[in-house]
Amino acid sequence: MLIMVRRAASGLGSPALCSARISKLSGHLCAMAQPAPEQVFNKPKVELHVHLDGAIRVQTILDVAKRRGISLPATTAQQMKERIILQEPDTLTGFLGKFNEYMHVVAGDREAIQRIAFEFVEDKAREGVLYVEVRYSPHLLSNCKVEPIPWNQKQGDLCPDEVVRLVNKGLSEGERAFRIKARSILCCMRHMPSWSDDVVELCEIYRNEGVVGIDLAGDESLNCEANPDHRKAYEKAVRAGIHRTVHAGEVGPAAVVREAVEVLKTERVGHGYGTLGDPDLYRELLAQDMHFEVCPLSSKLTGACNSDFTKHPVITFMRDKANYSLNTDDPLIFNSTLNDDYFLAQEHMGFTEEEFKRLNIKSAKSCFLPEKEKNELLSRLYEAYGMIESTPF
Ligand SMILES: [Zn+2]
């Protein structure tokens, strides 16, 4: 989420492409002329790139608004969906505007934050996800000890530290209730370098309570040379043994990916499509088995990639047996589930069951769990896939 350059918008929420309904993959369904089947890959999956604040249930937004006496421009889930969901490739303003529709409802509210984390785990369990890493900026859900206070909130008493505790609680309760594993990654924001030191500190404090890594999200044109606080935070993360990922090469060029790898010492690349613009860098990253967190539907709707899925960079990753995952990114905004991304991959990019297995094994190997838990996750996948552990990938 929060990316910079996008192609010009067509009418937001316009009925131009699809007729009346806002349903699963609306807009895309029309283009694909067929619905996503129930489960394309009906086996346990691993998801590594999804934003908590982009994965909230619409009904929860309505419930919380009602409880807090916040008036929204829509009163039914359907109307609210029509405002929030992105149906066609959009501009930056259009995409960011989606967060303005609801972030002020959940930010600063303890009950809401714990609830969205809990419900997130339930939703992922339903999608057949066995292990998920969910990311968010604690600052963007706070209303104290954050400068500036986001979403036009008034000063309150919910600070980033408590936000992390609330999310940890919601996730761990969800883990127990729905019997999957859910861990979190804390995001630095490229336009807010002054928050980054807090973020790495929170990663250290809560590393044994569910926080497994650090991320850098936002406008890729803001590099780390001009914003050294991000670099310093990542250097701290390296010293403390905190796992690292960075949004890079989503809409930005290969140079952003190179900086993420060489300066920030990232272990995974969020999206990374731009890598293909620099064949030398791509070869290097292939050789070091760098993990790319690919989000197919997201990359179309944010304008990061060509809207023709048959030209998607992940097809190159697949052919080269690269290390990558398939992810939803912001399923609330895209009105999607992980199955939709798998469906697109199968239907438009030639993905097979074998490739789905391979990429999930690679995802598990690239996750930020401690070694012992990672091995347990891998064993469960091998068993579910009917594979023996020595299968070379
Ligand atoms: Zn993202």
Side-chain angles (χ1 to χ4, degrees), residues 61-170:
I61 295 166
L62 291 173
D63 292 351
V64 175
K66 194 172 170 197
R67 172 172 58 74
R68 299 183 72 189
I70 296 171
S71 72
L72 291 172
T75 50
T76 67
Q78 188 61 28
Q79 289 167 345
M80 199 61 198
K81 269 190 172 184
E82 284 171 24
R83 296 189 66 90
I84 295 174
I85 291 165
L86 199 57
Q87 299 187 62
E88 298 170 46
D90 201 357
T91 59
L92 172 67
T93 319
F95 181 72
L96 294 184
K98 300 300 185 183
F99 291 88
N100 283 326
E101 295 280 352
Y102 64 88
M103 280 301 283
H104 63 291
V105 176
V106 293
D109 188 88
R110 292 176 171 80
E111 193 181 318
I113 291 167
Q114 196 175 321
R115 175 174 169 181
I116 62 173
F118 180 81
E119 290 176 346
F120 171 83
V121 183
E122 183 174 25
D123 293 343
K124 287 298 152 189
R126 272 206 201 119
E127 292 174 15
V129 172
L130 187 60
Y131 174 66
V132 61
E133 287 173 8
V134 61
R135 63 188 71 195
Y136 64 99
S137 156
H139 296 79
L140 289 177
L141 288 167
S142 303
N143 59 16
C144 88
K145 292 193 185 165
V146 55
E147 179 55 43
I149 298 175
W151 318 110
N152 287 321
Q153 297 175 92
K154 291 201 187 86
Q155 168 91 32
D157 61 359
L158 185 57
C159 58
D161 183 277
E162 192 179 353
V163 167
V164 176
R165 277 182 277 142
L166 290 162
V167 172
N168 290 347
K169 194 152 187 272

Side-chain angles (χ1 to χ4, degrees), residues 9-259:
S10 44
L12 197 61
S14 109
L17 187 62
C18 247
S19 55
R21 71 206 176 98
I22 306 268
S23 63
K24 192 139 299 292
L25 282 182
S26 79
H28 318 287
L29 269 189
C30 300
M32 293 189 285
Q34 50 193 309
E38 274 311 297
Q39 278 282 336
V40 171
F41 180 59
N42 194 15
K43 294 192 164 57
K45 292 175 276 292
V46 173
E47 185 170 11
L48 301 179
H49 189 125
V50 51
H51 296 261
L52 182 62
D53 50 349
I56 304 171
R57 294 180 187 169
V58 173
Q59 189 57 50
T60 300
I61 295 166
L62 291 173
D63 292 351
V64 175
K66 194 172 170 197
R67 172 172 58 74
R68 299 183 72 189
I70 296 171
S71 72
L72 291 172
T75 50
T76 67
Q78 188 61 28
Q79 289 167 345
M80 199 61 198
K81 269 190 172 184
E82 284 171 24
R83 296 189 66 90
I84 295 174
I85 291 165
L86 199 57
Q87 299 187 62
E88 298 170 46
D90 201 357
T91 59
L92 172 67
T93 319
F95 181 72
L96 294 184
K98 300 300 185 183
F99 291 88
N100 283 326
E101 295 280 352
Y102 64 88
M103 280 301 283
H104 63 291
V105 176
V106 293
D109 188 88
R110 292 176 171 80
E111 193 181 318
I113 291 167
Q114 196 175 321
R115 175 174 169 181
I116 62 173
F118 180 81
E119 290 176 346
F120 171 83
V121 183
E122 183 174 25
D123 293 343
K124 287 298 152 189
R126 272 206 201 119
E127 292 174 15
V129 172
L130 187 60
Y131 174 66
V132 61
E133 287 173 8
V134 61
R135 63 188 71 195
Y136 64 99
S137 156
H139 296 79
L140 289 177
L141 288 167
S142 303
N143 59 16
C144 88
K145 292 193 185 165
V146 55
E147 179 55 43
I149 298 175
W151 318 110
N152 287 321
Q153 297 175 92
K154 291 201 187 86
Q155 168 91 32
D157 61 359
L158 185 57
C159 58
D161 183 277
E162 192 179 353
V163 167
V164 176
R165 277 182 277 142
L166 290 162
V167 172
N168 290 347
K169 194 152 187 272
L171 294 179
S172 63
E173 284 177 3
E175 285 187 322
R176 283 194 296 278
F178 309 110
R179 309 173 75 82
I180 67 167
K181 202 168 264 208
R183 298 297 146 90
S184 61
I185 293 172
L186 304 185
C187 300
C188 303
M189 302 304 300
R190 284 190 188 263
H191 69 295
M192 289 307 306
S194 60
W195 294 351
S196 289
D197 191 53
D198 276 2
V199 175
V200 70
E201 239 175 60
L202 291 169
C203 290
E204 274 198 88
I205 295 169
Y206 295 108
R207 64 191 310 167
N208 296 319
E209 290 163 57
V211 177
V212 293
I214 193 167
D215 177 37
L216 176 60
D219 184 342
E220 288 185 49
S221 70
L222 302 172
N223 65 33
C224 295
E225 214 170 296
N227 300 281
D229 288 344
H230 299 314
R231 179 174 47 74
K232 285 181 196 150
Y234 271 70
E235 282 168 359
K236 237 184 196 181
V238 171
R239 284 197 300 274
I242 290 163
H243 288 298
R244 302 161 305 280
T245 182
V246 173
H247 279 74
E250 181 179 9
V251 291
V256 182
V257 180
R258 190 177 281 283
E259 182 184 71

